[in-house]
Amino acid sequence: MRILIVEDEVRLAATLQDLLELNGYTADVCHDGESGLDNALSGIYDVVILDVMLPRMDGFSVLRQLRAAGSAAPVLMLTARSEVADRVEGLDCGADYYLTKPFEPRELTACVRALSRRAPDLRPPEALEFGDLTLDRNAFALVCADRSVHLSRKEFDLAELLIRNRGQILTKETLLLKLWGYDSEAEDNHVEVYISFLRKKLEHLRSRVKIRTIRMVGYTLEDPAP
Ligand code: CA
């Protein structure tokens, strides 16, 4: 699950990022409202953690524009202010949860868990299946009949994205953003490299499933004998 943190206090933002990553989430950080809105609108985030007092654009405006653009991503608002009026405004703008600073780390992780429970499709299932393949989350493995291969974290995330988006073409840009995030220096060829790793593993498994390259567009998962 990928989380966007929009928080201008650099140290707090870094602490939140560490905390979320320790809890198994992937987290990206923005330090002002405008870039927060741009990133949130990309649609690659499952949860947005949004501060209220932000440079360039305040959190309420970010949230209003996000909802106006049709985004339903769960939003957890953070604020140093604890007035009831602020909480009401936040909830009216479409916030799903409100947390007043200072908060305990476990309060925040509990909120994030609650938000991901609210959107059941965000909750990762134990195993995902496609064709003759099973992606086993607990073992970080791809399984086909009696064969199994261990996947690295990135390979696993890539396999998961391809299986979840079966029947659709995933562009290189989408894969790059979903797997490496915005701040990364990763380039298009990182995607190609990991696609080739995953293809080798599919061959090793003797799976009938193939990763098809759509020239100039991206990739899609194919089961030739559905
Ligand atoms: Ca702030």
Side-chain angles (χ1 to χ4, degrees), residues 7-9 51-55 101:
E7 166 63 69
D8 60 320
E9 287 165 55
D51 188 27
V52 171
M53 301 293 277
L54 288 166
K101 296 177 194 170

